[in-house]
Amino acid sequence: MNITEVKSKSEQKKFLAFRREILGKNSHYVDNDIFMIKDLFAGKTSFTDNKEVKVYYVEEEGCIQCEGMAVYTGQLEEFIQLSFFVSRDGVDEAVKMLTDKVVEVGKAFGCTRLVIGLNGHVNYGLGLLASGYEKGNSFGSAINHEYFNTYFKNMGCEEITMSTYHIEKIDKQLERYAAFLRKVERNYTFKCFDKKHFEEYAKIYTDLNNQCFPNHRYYYPRTYQEDIEMLKELFLFMKEDSLIFAFDGDKPVAFIMWYPDFNELAKPGEAFGAKHFIKNLFLNKKLNTAKVMEYGVLEEYRTVGMPLVLIHQVFLKIVENYGATRAETSWVLDENVDSSGFCKAVCDGVYKRYVVYEKEI
């Protein structure tokens, strides 16, 4: 058994082929990380600025057993990350070899903890799926087989848990809050992202993220260029009303990002790619689910009901302009009692659970 650091084009192709082989075995899933991984290989993303990214796979007799990336950033100097992990079942020795290599990289940078399930930054993915394996994954959600988790449970890792939530009837869910919403909404102005002023609005998004999440687990400040690149890719699919800002006068105070579940454009088991962009552009297919991806509110505005107002703004857009009938949230850390409590109050219940693994090294 040997471990290879992936550098050449042929090694990169083997890495991607193995990912497709393993994840494609479960027909419920669509792989959304191919874009990011290809950008990393091509060096087309500023995501790698001020970061160390090393890519590995472990082989036995020429057959890949597992693979992943070691990611280090000085902005999370405590952690070395094992990202984009994929493995066969029952290959404990190979997974240990990969994990040991990632730990070795981390120790060279003075890291004291290993984190598994963080893909470089929370904006690019956090957590391994830990329930609902029989359900399809919405756009941007983690995909993995159940046995992925077994490796890290057996290592005695600490588990940080997360949940997603669902709403089955969008148009009726907020009726009981109608009077409250009318009262609060008249104090604010709501604006959709303006692609004609792309960089200006992208910077508002970056600034709000960095102001809203300084104490969020694993979050570290984003750069304008990173978010400009990320938003340009998302706006290949999203429309301007998928990113809504709340203003108090001229001051941006909150935002919410959502989009239709673009994974409904793909066949189960596919890796998401350019053909789905073309399908979205020309077929205008009705998508049944809306994905509420992220919201952020400045601290001084969190007690006025702003999260509920933001969700209401999204539902207005969906009912007016889209055919979606249900909604699903992105992951919410269970330890984030404010956000998880809000989701429990507004949504129908938990949809799926996810977990991040940590271990002292």
Side-chain angles (χ1 to χ4, degrees):
M1 193 174 298
N2 62 285
I3 188 165
T4 299
E5 183 176 354
V6 175
K7 294 182 177 180
S8 70
K9 295 288 186 182
S10 62
E11 290 166 344
Q12 291 171 2
K13 287 181 179 178
K14 285 180 67 174
F15 184 97
L16 293 173
F18 179 72
R19 182 178 180 87
R20 293 189 185 99
E21 174 194 346
I22 298 302
L23 298 181
K25 288 178 179 178
N26 192 319
S27 62
H28 293 292
Y29 293 141
V30 178
D31 187 0
N32 297 136
D33 290 327
I34 291 293
F35 273 138
M36 183 63 180
I37 294 172
K38 286 184 175 179
D39 281 350
L40 287 171
F41 285 161
K44 291 182 178 180
T45 173
S46 61
F47 170 78
T48 56
D49 293 348
N50 303 314
K51 295 181 182 68
E52 185 73 23
V53 180
K54 292 183 178 291
V55 185
Y56 300 100
Y57 54 66
V58 178
E59 291 181 291
E60 186 171 29
E61 298 181 354
C63 181
I64 296 180
Q65 304 298 299
C66 64
E67 64 185 23
M69 298 186 189
V71 180
Y72 171 78
T73 172
Q75 292 174 291
L76 283 178
E77 61 183 2
E78 179 183 4
F79 294 102
I80 186 68
Q81 305 173 38
L82 172 52
S83 305
F84 301 107
F85 172 79
V86 175
S87 176
R88 299 187 189 279
D89 194 7
V91 292
D92 299 69
E93 184 180 347
V95 174
K96 184 178 185 305
M97 181 178 288
L98 175 64
T99 305
D100 287 347
K101 174 58 71 173
V102 173
V103 167
E104 179 185 316
V105 173
K107 287 184 174 180
F109 286 103
C111 300
T112 57
R113 295 191 70 80
L114 169 69
V115 58
I116 300 143
L118 173 60
N119 290 340
H121 191 280
V122 293
N123 284 19
Y124 298 118
L126 183 67
L128 299 182
L129 181 65
S131 76
Y133 300 99
E134 75 287 355
K135 303 172 185 175
N137 63 304
S138 57
F139 190 77
S141 295
I143 59 172
N144 55 266
H145 297 290
E146 185 172 6
Y147 65 79
F148 283 25
N149 294 279
T150 304
Y151 294 118
F152 308 115
K153 290 179 183 292
N154 290 343
M155 291 180 189
C157 294
E158 176 187 352
E159 298 181 17
I160 294 92
T161 58
M162 305 178 293
S163 302
T164 62
Y165 298 83
H166 67 110
I167 294 172
E168 292 305 321
K169 291 186 178 180
I170 286 174
D171 59 338
K172 302 295 184 184
Q173 194 69 17
L174 301 183
E175 283 184 344
R176 64 187 184 275
Y177 302 108
F180 172 79
L181 289 165
R182 285 194 298 269
K183 181 180 178 180
V184 175
E185 286 175 335
R186 62 173 175 245
N187 296 319
Y188 301 94
T189 302
F190 300 91
K191 298 180 182 180
C192 297
F193 192 95
D194 184 352
K195 289 197 285 188
K196 292 180 180 178
H197 301 90
F198 197 101
E199 291 197 5
E200 176 187 344
Y201 275 75
K203 287 180 178 180
I204 294 173
Y205 170 78
T206 302
D207 288 340
L208 281 172
N209 268 269
N210 290 340
Q211 293 165 27
C212 293
F213 304 128
N215 300 315
H216 192 289
R217 186 188 285 264
Y218 306 124
Y219 185 87
Y220 57 89
R222 298 279 288 171
T223 68
Y224 291 140
Q225 187 58 35
E226 286 172 336
D227 280 340
I228 285 170
E229 291 173 4
M230 183 187 76
L231 290 172
K232 281 184 176 178
E233 286 199 348
L234 285 173
F235 275 110
L236 292 174
F237 299 90
M238 293 194 320
K239 296 181 181 179
E240 290 173 304
D241 59 8
S242 284
L243 183 48
I244 303 169
F245 300 96
F247 288 79
D248 183 359
D250 294 329
K251 178 183 178 181
V253 299
F255 75 94
I256 189 165
M257 181 190 289
W258 75 279
Y259 36 67
D261 180 12
F262 300 117
N263 278 1
E264 293 179 21
L265 297 168
K267 295 178 181 178
E270 280 189 331
F272 203 87
K275 66 181 180 180
H276 304 108
F277 163 69
I278 296 170
K279 183 184 289 188
N280 181 59
L281 192 64
F282 292 106
L283 295 186
N284 197 29
K285 179 183 176 182
K286 175 186 174 183
L287 303 179
N288 296 317
T289 299
K291 178 74 175 284
V292 180
M293 191 64 187
E294 176 190 21
Y295 76 87
V297 181
L298 295 182
E299 186 172 2
E300 61 267 35
Y301 291 87
R302 292 173 188 170
T303 59
V304 301
M306 185 59 72
L308 186 64
V309 169
L310 291 171
I311 291 291
H312 185 234
Q313 289 295 313
V314 169
F315 286 3
L316 287 175
K317 300 298 181 187
I318 293 170
V319 172
E320 290 173 3
N321 302 319
Y322 298 85
T325 57
R326 67 181 299 274
E328 180 185 331
T329 74
S330 183
W331 53 263
V332 178
L333 286 163
D334 291 337
E335 68 187 17
N336 185 343
V337 294
D338 289 340
S339 290
S340 60
F342 170 71
C343 289
K344 290 173 183 176
V346 172
C347 300
D348 292 331
V350 171
Y351 187 59
K352 292 183 181 180
R353 299 195 184 276
Y354 299 81
V355 63
V356 182
Y357 297 94
E358 274 193 34
K359 186 176 178 63
E360 188 173 350
I361 60 175

